[in-house]
Each structure stands twice: as structure tokens, then as C-alpha cells.
Amino acid sequence: MLTAEHMSALIRRYFDGCNDADVEGMIACFTPDAVHYFPPGMYGGAWRGARTIAENWAHRVATLGSAWTIDRLLADPASAQAVIEWSHFKTAEGTVLRGDEWYVFDEASGLIAEIRAYYASPVDPTRAELALDGYDYAGRGYPLTCPVPRPHATQRTSST
């Protein structure tokens, strides 16, 4: 039986794996056939399979200096679903992307089976922060700087 504590801890473990570029750690959070969906035009479409998801995020850490925070998290064990609000710091580009993700858990294994990502703003290469216009991120306690130092912070690369 799923609990809110288990669901929250697994999502946090997944994000720790993302920040550490720990492929095996991320894989352990997913069903083997998990799917991560993105908005149109993002990351080449849906990523299918736990290994694909993990390797793609590890690649983003290596090439974009990516680091993530979980800013809000709600878990509903009765529906086997959770939702988070996150910030994605692409330190090599000097950009911040904000959004939400909807998680669906496999009740039998307790692992993540699906993630649906929703972004606060379409990708706009002229903006350093892709977020909701007029929303007081600072006033509401959201991170404004990347909490994880990245060696790529001075490097510029493409935004995929």
C-alpha cells in the first residue's frame, strides 16, 4: 500500500539522483517501462524506459550543468499520484526553467510509472528565466540561485 511518505521520499530520491547524475539511482525509482512526457518540442518528445530517462538527465547535468529543486510536493496515496513544482537551473546557460510534474505510481511495486511535465513558459532563448510572468517567486520563498555548484557554470551550450 502506497503512503504519502513513500511517494514523497521516492520523488526526492529521484531528484537526488538527477542532481548527482546517478543513473542507477534514478533507474531504481522507476518501473522499467516508465514514461516521462514533455511539452511539444522539448527534449525530442517522450522518454520511454527507466534507463532512457536516467541517462538523459545525467547527460543534461554533464552538458548543461543542470540542477533541480523540488519547490512544492503533494502526494495522494489513494490515487497513486503526486504533483510537484520544481526549478531547473541550467547553469551552463545561466537560465532557470520552472514547472510542474504529475507523477503516477505503480501500486504493486511502489515505483514511478509516469511523469507528465508542464512548463511555466515556452522556451525563449532571449530570457534568462522561464517562469510565470508577474509571479513573486522570491516573495513566496522559491530558490533564486542554483543550490548545487556546477563546474559548467561559465560554459554556454545548446538548450536541449
Side-chain angles (χ1 to χ4, degrees):
M1 178 174 173
L2 288 174
T3 66
E5 293 77 18
H6 166 80
M7 296 163 73
S8 298
L10 190 62
I11 292 170
R12 291 185 188 285
R13 194 167 88 216
Y14 163 55
F15 268 66
D16 288 344
C18 289
N19 283 320
D20 295 338
D22 178 0
V23 171
E24 296 305 318
M26 284 184 271
I27 288 172
C29 298
F30 290 100
T31 61
D33 60 347
V35 180
H36 195 318
Y37 295 96
F38 297 96
M42 296 298 300
Y43 304 124
W47 294 346
R48 298 181 184 282
R51 180 160 300 279
T52 298
I53 295 166
E55 288 176 350
N56 282 335
W57 287 135
H59 175 72
R60 279 6 181 239
V61 171
T63 59
L64 300 175
S66 289
W68 297 266
T69 59
I70 296 174
D71 305 326
R72 307 287 187 274
L73 189 154
L74 298 172
D76 180 29
S79 68
Q81 298 178 83
V83 65
I84 69 165
E85 194 171 35
W86 48 259
S87 298
H88 178 180
F89 296 87
K90 298 178 181 182
T91 63
E93 297 178 347
T95 61
V96 180
L97 177 62
R98 299 186 191 272
D100 293 333
E101 287 178 342
W102 197 270
Y103 288 74
V104 177
F105 286 78
D106 175 67
E107 292 186 62
S109 67
L111 298 174
I112 300 165
E114 178 182 283
I115 302 173
R116 298 188 310 269
Y118 300 93
Y119 290 17
S121 168
V123 174
D124 179 349
T126 66
R127 296 182 65 147
E129 183 174 10
L130 303 171
L132 297 172
D133 279 338
Y135 188 79
D136 185 10
Y137 285 97
R140 297 209 183 185
Y142 288 78
L144 301 180
T145 59
C146 180
V148 181
R150 293 286 183 228
H152 306 287
T154 58
Q155 203 175 16
R156 304 246 346 148
T157 61
S158 68
S159 63
T160 355

